[in-house]
Amino acid sequence: MNRIIKSFFTLCLISILCAGMLTGCTRTPRADTDTLRIGVAVYQQSDTFISTLMQALEHLAQERESSEEIKINLNVVDGHGSQLTQSEQIDRLIALDYDVLCVNIVDRTSAAMLIDKAKEANIPIIFFNREPVQEDIQRWDSVYYVGAKAEESGILQGQILLNAWLNENERVDRNQDGVLQYVMLEGEPGHQDAMLRTEYAVKTLVEAGVSVEKLDSNTANWDRSQAASRMAQWMDRIGDSIEVVISNNDDMALGAIDVFQNMNIPKEKMPVVVGVDATALALEAVCDGTMQGTVRNDAKGIAKCMLDLAISLNRGQEAPELEKYQDGQYIWLPYQKVTKEQLPCEEARAPAQP
């Protein structure tokens, strides 16, 4: 009899342990299944482009709630430039069982770890604006990247400068030596967009037959004040020789322009400046003539694609509206050149719409 009782309790214990193991491997259904919960982790929300993208995402989510029978809960967390902080934030989002994760990763070399955690919890993960390496994207079929091809922005920057070189040569080639002398304001070290924009902007000019000379380059981490500091140092040392400022983003380009304006340099005598992102302030600078041009990084388009994809993933459906952008696990949006010719000044000065 004692042996029967012991066997019974042993079987009960095994059943409980097995149940516990199964529970740990599956997601517990929530009561509020009519709500799509999206956890969004950004590298730094004070970044002008990221802030614009988040505003667009929130606005579009509100529109979708109004037009469809769906509730969308967005939880945006700011990593403040720390991968450790961001990883802890994503751990919390996973523990809270969010339906989809959208990640603007701080350090792209940490993507594999985040993907493995999301896969274990069976939560799809969408990277955006900062692209992990292809091998990491391919670790799981529920990993996606939404953004634009960085080399395109560099090519378009080069085309803007090439057009100025050919059509406004006296203003660009101020010393008339037939060589374009430039400085380069780069984003953060190791960032793929910074490296590719830097490479392809210059490569486009060289391949078009323009002789170029790099006077100096330095990182300013996408930041306006850091770029102003770099530019001020260059102006003290080599200011008379600088004909062009190539900047990996608009905020750094505006930092350079701040220095020129503080030095009371007339805009027709300023070095030619190009940026990337087409932020509201950059469009004003293009309109005012202090910036030669910028390249539109489609914040609203990225936000819309992320939202469409998140909703489709949650519903277990295809997203036909993404077909023209989708390349397997990648969703690529095009960049666009923005110069005075493409952008009426009235539009540039109008309030930016999310």
Side-chain angles (χ1 to χ4, degrees):
M1 184 69 177
N2 287 338
R3 282 191 302 174
I4 294 173
I5 293 172
K6 285 181 181 179
S7 299
F8 173 75
F9 281 116
T10 300
L11 288 170
C12 288
L13 180 60
I14 291 171
S15 298
I16 291 168
L17 289 171
C18 289
M21 290 171 65
L22 288 171
T23 302
C25 295
T26 58
R27 300 175 65 197
T28 304
R30 298 193 319 270
D32 58 335
T33 53
D34 60 331
T35 300
L36 169 59
R37 300 199 308 165
I38 305 175
V40 185
V42 300
Y43 97 99
Q44 191 155 273
Q45 200 159 1
S46 61
D47 181 292
T48 303
F49 180 74
I50 295 301
S51 175
T52 302
L53 199 157
M54 288 301 99
Q55 291 173 21
L57 183 61
E58 290 167 2
H59 181 76
L60 289 166
Q62 291 170 3
E63 285 186 346
R64 293 293 288 268
E65 283 188 321
S66 299
S67 63
E68 301 179 24
E69 290 187 6
I70 184 172
K71 294 179 183 177
I72 301 173
N73 179 347
L74 288 177
N75 183 1
V76 181
V77 294
D78 187 347
H80 298 289
S82 166
Q83 186 57 60
L84 177 61
T85 299
Q86 186 178 73
S87 297
E88 291 172 348
Q89 291 169 337
I90 291 172
D91 285 343
R92 286 195 291 272
L93 293 171
I94 290 174
L96 290 169
D97 198 29
Y98 272 74
D99 298 299
V100 179
L101 298 175
C102 295
V103 179
N104 170 230
I105 195 165
V106 175
D107 179 0
R108 65 199 294 256
T109 63
S110 298
M113 174 186 65
L114 301 181
I115 291 167
D116 290 345
K117 289 181 178 181
K119 181 178 180 180
E120 184 178 358
N122 195 29
I123 301 175
I125 184 167
I126 303 168
F127 290 94
F128 66 97
N129 190 243
R130 291 177 162 226
E131 181 189 351
V133 298
Q134 186 176 18
E135 290 80 4
D136 289 342
I137 294 289
Q138 293 175 342
R139 291 175 78 89
W140 185 34
D141 58 8
S142 290
V143 181
Y144 295 86
Y145 177 74
V146 178
K149 294 183 178 180
E151 59 269 29
E152 288 182 5
S153 58
I155 291 169
L156 294 176
Q157 274 191 317
Q159 290 176 358
I160 291 170
L161 290 172
L162 177 62
N163 183 67
W165 179 262
L166 295 175
N167 297 296
E168 305 173 64
N169 186 263
E170 287 189 9
R171 184 173 73 88
V172 182
D173 189 13
R174 294 190 298 178
N175 60 10
Q176 289 295 291
D177 66 347
V179 179
L180 186 151
Q181 278 92 13
Y182 73 94
V183 292
M184 179 76 71
L185 286 166
E186 301 177 17
E188 68 195 82
H191 192 294
Q192 183 167 352
D193 284 9
M195 293 187 292
L196 291 173
R197 288 172 185 174
T198 296
E199 176 187 355
Y200 279 87
V202 177
K203 185 177 181 180
T204 300
L205 289 166
V206 172
E207 289 182 347
V210 179
S211 296
V212 301
E213 178 185 358
K214 182 173 76 171
L215 300 178
D216 211 336
S217 65
N218 213 326
T219 59
N221 294 300
W222 313 112
D223 184 77
R224 185 169 180 165
S225 61
Q226 289 188 42
S229 177
R230 302 294 188 204
M231 197 72 237
Q233 293 168 7
W234 288 335
M235 291 302 289
D236 286 342
R237 184 164 52 86
I238 53 172
D240 291 340
S241 302
I242 299 172
E243 295 174 337
V244 168
V245 179
I246 305 175
S247 175
N248 287 168
N249 81 336
D250 285 341
D251 274 4
M252 295 189 297
L254 292 168
I257 293 169
D258 289 340
V259 173
F260 305 150
Q261 292 178 329
N262 289 339
M263 295 176 67
N264 296 315
I265 300 174
K267 62 184 177 183
E268 63 272 11
K269 293 186 178 180
M270 291 180 184
V272 173
V273 181
V274 289
V276 177
D277 282 339
T279 63
L281 291 177
L283 297 183
E284 289 183 9
V286 171
C287 184
D288 292 340
T290 53
M291 189 183 294
Q292 183 72 20
T294 182
V295 179
R296 187 183 300 280
N297 194 2
D298 190 357
K300 184 176 180 180
I302 291 172
K304 185 179 186 305
C305 286
M306 284 168 54
L307 187 60
D308 289 342
L309 182 57
I311 291 171
S312 297
L313 288 169
N314 189 58
R315 291 173 173 171
Q317 301 172 347
E318 296 294 324
E321 61 273 21
L322 297 179
E323 285 181 0
K324 63 180 178 179
Y325 302 121
Q326 194 160 358
D327 177 17
Q329 292 171 258
Y330 291 85
I331 296 169
W332 299 113
L333 281 84
Y335 283 106
Q336 294 176 315
K337 278 189 294 188
V338 182
T339 62
K340 234 175 184 177
E341 291 72 27
Q342 283 86 37
L343 183 70
C345 289
E346 292 76 16
E347 180 183 334
R349 290 200 175 100
Q353 297 297 316

